[in-house]
Amino acid sequence: MLKLHFKDSRQAPIWLVEERFTLGQDRRNNLVLGDVGIAAFHAEIRQENGLYFISDCDSESGTFVNEERIASRYQLRADDCLRLGEVELQLTDPAKAKPRNEASQRWFLQVLKGENEGKKYHVNGSMTFGRSVKCELCFSDAELSRRHCEFFLKDDVLEVKDLASANGLFVNGAKANTAVLQPGDQVRMGSVLLLVIGPKVEVQQAEDEDATLFMRAVDLPKPSTAKPAATAPTASANPLRAAAQAAPTPAAAAPAGPAPLRLALLGAGVLLVLGMAAALLL
């Protein structure tokens, strides 16, 4: 049994239990939507033998499934996205929900060039790509075949297969019949270029890659600890002793002795030497 979820979480999910489930602005609908662009009776979903089919009730703005405008009796499957006006709804099957750790690993295809540029598509199970309205990924590019290729996801491995298309399938610029896709790969069909977005993969850094290496600095000698200077006398010290220590030391006194006597002896010696020199000359 399928469940309808509002993408903007405006209200709780709704189980599709009735055989006929209508959507629109009129209060007689099973799901009343008062948004702009919604007709009084916009669309209806019918359940037949366990299958669900949606039909547009001639609304002016139309009913879209996975961004493809539908008319009547379009089969719905789990993970389909419905859009009525500006209201987006997601279909889920709780009985087939994946475990939480697997559900978190999601794969997408984002349009880089071509029709619907910038749009992102969630890959779930098997999805065909081409011009046919029966393809899960329907594009109107004239260079595409009606069923151009198929994307299929199994055990978290995404593969693509060319379905004998006229213009071929190219993965990262190389023509391919089948290929296992990795996140970041680019797939081209006609003029449409898709980017593969997948689970994050941890990549170990190669040894020769540029990297910032943190190495221990050279051990430097520890700076010597200076001895603390002598502290000044505290207030509790003896004031007289402190004054005596602070007084300047007197200069050393000259050696004692009578200065005039020494000068007289020096003068006598000089006269004696001069007299002896004069006698020798005569």
Side-chain angles (χ1 to χ4, degrees):
M1 187 176 296
L2 298 181
K3 226 178 186 183
L4 273 178
H5 294 257
F6 286 87
K7 283 198 169 183
D8 57 6
S9 302
R10 64 174 67 180
Q11 69 181 66
I14 301 171
W15 287 98
L16 296 178
V17 294
E18 292 83 5
E19 291 185 359
R20 180 174 180 267
F21 186 90
T22 60
L23 308 90
Q25 285 205 8
D26 194 285
R27 295 192 175 276
R28 289 173 290 177
N29 287 286
N30 298 97
L31 178 58
V32 179
L33 301 172
D35 299 72
V36 178
I38 304 296
F41 292 93
H42 197 104
E44 70 171 13
I45 299 174
R46 288 185 176 271
Q47 184 180 170
E48 300 176 8
N49 300 321
L51 302 178
Y52 294 83
F53 300 89
I54 187 171
S55 300
D56 182 71
C57 300
D58 297 325
S59 65
E60 183 176 350
S61 60
T63 301
F64 294 80
V65 179
N66 301 326
E67 293 305 321
E68 175 186 342
R69 186 164 185 168
I70 57 96
S72 61
R73 287 189 61 80
Y74 187 97
Q75 185 176 349
L76 295 175
R77 297 177 176 85
D79 296 320
D80 280 346
C81 180
L82 311 183
R83 182 168 65 81
L84 290 72
E86 298 299 323
V87 180
E88 291 187 334
L89 302 163
Q90 186 80 35
L91 279 167
T92 63
D93 186 352
K96 297 181 180 179
K98 295 182 179 180
R100 182 173 299 179
N101 59 345
E102 293 183 6
S104 61
Q105 298 182 356
R106 305 183 69 184
W107 290 82
F108 295 89
L109 295 171
Q110 185 173 8
V111 183
L112 294 181
K113 292 182 182 179
E115 184 181 351
N116 299 325
E117 183 174 338
K119 185 169 180 59
K120 189 185 297 184
Y121 297 91
H122 174 220
V123 181
N124 180 38
S126 174
M127 301 177 69
T128 53
F129 179 98
R131 289 188 296 106
S132 173
V133 295
K134 295 182 180 180
C135 292
E136 286 79 8
L137 300 173
C138 179
F139 286 71
S140 59
D141 185 358
E143 298 181 21
L144 297 176
S145 299
R146 290 183 58 82
R147 296 179 73 252
H148 199 102
C149 66
E150 180 183 9
F151 295 90
F152 48 97
L153 180 64
K154 184 178 180 181
D155 297 330
D156 292 330
V157 177
L158 179 62
E159 298 185 45
V160 63
K161 180 180 180 181
D162 184 22
L163 300 178
S165 63
N167 294 320
L169 165 73
F170 296 83
V171 179
N172 298 326
K175 191 171 184 179
N177 291 323
T178 61
V180 177
L181 300 176
Q182 301 293 335
D185 285 348
Q186 294 186 10
V187 184
R188 181 172 64 83
M189 294 79 61
S191 61
V192 179
L193 181 64
L194 302 178
L195 172 67
V196 179
I197 302 175
K200 293 182 179 180
V201 179
E202 294 183 359
V203 179
Q204 294 182 353
Q205 186 180 28
E207 293 181 358
D208 58 344
E209 291 183 0
D210 294 336
T212 303
L213 300 178
F214 296 91
M215 303 180 66
R216 182 180 178 181
V218 177
D219 292 333
L220 299 176
K222 295 183 180 179
S224 59
T225 305
K227 295 182 180 179
T231 56
T234 60
S236 60
N238 190 330
L240 296 178
R241 184 177 180 182
Q245 291 177 349
T249 305
L261 179 59
R262 287 187 297 167
L263 293 175
L265 292 175
L266 180 60
V270 172
L271 292 176
L272 180 60
V273 173
L274 292 176
M276 293 176 65
L280 293 174
L281 291 175
L282 292 178

